[in-house]
Amino acid sequence: AEPSLKRKVDEINAKRRGLYQKLANDSGVSVAQVAMVTGMKQIEKAGPNDMVVDITGTWVRAKDAVLPE
């Protein structure tokens, strides 16, 4: 990928990690738990044929995504 694109992605990911850390601290849960819940919400919002990465780490259509119980 282009260096400018990689920098932008890294910047966005750093901001997201910071937000997850704040939410985790405020809620008394782990960052991993915040990330999991956020990911589940994003998959639930996706259109049925949108491609998402499910809990198995596989790209699938949202309607076929494997979610944690």
Side-chain angles (χ1 to χ4, degrees), residues 8-62:
K8 188 63 174 173
V9 169
D10 290 345
E11 177 185 316
I12 290 167
N13 286 337
K15 287 180 182 178
R16 181 176 36 252
R17 279 190 300 273
L19 177 60
Y20 287 3
Q21 185 65 62
K22 181 180 180 338
L23 290 169
N25 291 345
D26 291 350
S27 302
V29 298
S30 72
V31 173
Q33 288 171 305
V34 171
M36 180 69 66
V37 170
T38 302
M40 288 172 45
K41 287 179 181 179
Q42 293 300 316
I43 290 172
E44 289 169 356
K45 282 192 212 178
N49 291 314
D50 290 347
M51 298 299 289
V52 299
V53 177
D54 70 6
I55 194 166
T56 68
T58 306
W59 282 95
V60 297
R61 297 201 185 283

